[in-house]
């Protein structure tokens, strides 16, 4: 399989921001959407923003077949339906990187609410739904889409959860292709239940400070800790 990076739901805030940063880093991106014309429109917009961008827009199912590491950036309420629709597209050996957060839509003046997931986390639910042989990795819950879409330098950590370090390392390489992001190994997939709750926490902080802050884990040893 190629080294293209499919982003399912890449027309949305998080997926578009990631696509933009990866396009700047020279990665080849495939934006997925339920509507191919919407995907093509988002791809065109990135091509207009990043000179020489290698980006294409396709329907989700086609996009998912384009690369070995597929990112899922849809609202949690659409996660199950989207994964059901991808059952014939995802194949053994692929990594599915779940970025969804089990959160209820914000109600003005109220704290953002997390939703209980029977399996423990959105990531574990995704692992139950993907075809046999597809491995779920969970990440990108603490980076703000607005920060990704802007031009300001990034300076934050991205927690990565999953069963095998070797799989997480492959995703970490993509994360660290984005300047200013450091990938931190947060543990097994079940740890995603903790990490997913950081999103509403950051939304609350960012609302108060009118910022797009992320997180930083301090005191880790320097150097590459993924090899
Ligand atoms: N926004 C952030 O800063 C941020 C940060 C960390 C994590 N997250 C998480 O990342 C995920 C995506 O967030 P987002 O803000 O990018 O979401 P979004 O903009 O609301 O939606 C992303 C894309 O998902 C697709 N989608 C929407 N409703 C759908 C449905 N009912 N069925 C299938 N596809 C649907 C749409 O693509 P098409 O209509 O083109 O198919 C949409 O462009 C969420 O789970 C969110 O909690 C977001």
């Amino acid at each position: 399989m190629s080294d293209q990076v499919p982003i399912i739901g890449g027309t949305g805030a998080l997926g578009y921001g990631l696509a933009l940063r990866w396009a700047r880093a020279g990665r080849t991106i495939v934006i997925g959407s339920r509507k191919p014309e919407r995907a093509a429109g988002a791809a065109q917009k990135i091509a207009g923003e990043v000179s020489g961008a290698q980006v294409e827009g396709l329907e989700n199912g086609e996009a998912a077949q384009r690369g070995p590491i597929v990112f899922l950036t849809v609202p949690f309420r659409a996660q199950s339906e989207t994964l059901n629709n991808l059952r014939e597209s995802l194949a053994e050996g692929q990594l599915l990187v779940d970025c969804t957060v089990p959160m209820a839509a914000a109600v003005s003046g109220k704290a953002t609410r997390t939703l209980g997931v029977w399996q423990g986390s959105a990531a574990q639910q995704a692992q139950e739904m993907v075809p046999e042989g597809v491995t779920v990795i969970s990440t990108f819950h603490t980076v703000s889409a607005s920060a990704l879409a802007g031009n300001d330098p990034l300076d934050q950590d991205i927690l990565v959860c999953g069963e095998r370090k070797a799989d997480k390392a492959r995703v970490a390489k993509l994360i660290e292709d984005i300047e200013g992001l450091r990938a931190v190994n947060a543990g097994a997939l079940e740890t995603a239940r903790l990490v997913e709750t950081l999103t509403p926490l950051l939304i609350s902080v960012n609302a108060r400070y009118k910022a797009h802050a992320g997180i930083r884990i301090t005191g880790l040893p320097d150097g590459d800790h993924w090899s």
Side-chain angles (χ1 to χ4, degrees):
M1 235 183 223
S2 74
D3 60 357
Q4 296 173 48
V5 183
I7 307 176
I8 307 305
T11 53
L14 181 64
Y16 185 87
L18 290 173
L20 190 65
R21 294 278 173 164
W22 276 322
R24 284 185 194 151
R27 286 276 178 179
T28 304
I29 306 303
V30 184
I31 292 190
S33 167
R34 289 168 293 178
K35 298 263 181 225
E37 60 276 16
R38 204 146 54 211
Q44 213 169 21
K45 197 167 159 215
I46 287 178
E49 284 196 55
V50 182
S51 116
Q54 298 176 70
V55 57
E56 192 179 352
L58 296 173
E59 184 276 324
N60 281 333
E62 275 186 74
Q65 296 174 49
R66 286 300 191 89
I69 306 180
V70 179
F71 287 78
L72 181 66
T73 61
V74 298
F76 176 70
R77 67 176 185 282
Q79 189 212 44
S80 298
E81 186 188 342
T82 306
L83 288 176
N84 256 329
N85 292 339
L86 292 178
R87 281 202 71 78
E88 302 303 319
S89 307
L90 293 170
E92 187 177 345
Q94 279 180 304
L95 298 183
L96 186 279
V97 184
D98 182 62
C99 307
T100 66
V101 179
M103 230 168 52
V107 177
S108 173
K110 298 255 165 59
T112 312
R113 293 186 181 128
T114 51
L115 299 171
V117 184
W118 181 258
Q119 292 82 349
S121 62
Q124 289 166 290
Q125 175 170 284
Q127 185 63 73
E128 267 193 17
M129 296 202 65
V130 292
E132 186 94 17
V134 175
T135 302
V136 172
I137 301 293
S138 168
T139 193
F140 277 131
H141 299 100
T142 56
V143 67
S144 139
S146 304
L148 288 168
N151 290 313
D152 291 345
L154 300 169
D155 178 23
Q156 53 185 280
D157 284 341
I158 303 294
L159 301 175
V160 188
C161 304
E163 296 308 323
R164 291 179 62 242
K165 186 177 178 188
D167 293 334
K168 287 183 274 191
R170 291 171 66 202
V171 176
K173 172 84 189 70
L174 278 168
I175 293 170
E176 294 184 352
D177 270 358
I178 298 178
E179 208 178 326
L181 298 188
R182 178 179 69 166
V184 172
N185 190 348
L189 197 67
E190 67 175 17
T191 316
R193 75 183 70 188
L194 305 174
V195 178
E196 289 170 6
T197 63
L198 296 178
T199 313
L201 173 69
L202 282 165
I203 290 172
S204 172
V205 170
N206 282 328
R208 281 159 183 79
Y209 286 82
K210 304 203 181 329
H212 303 301
I215 62 159
R216 191 52 112 182
I217 307 287
T218 61
L220 294 181
D222 291 335
D224 176 17
H225 49 112
W226 285 105
S227 43

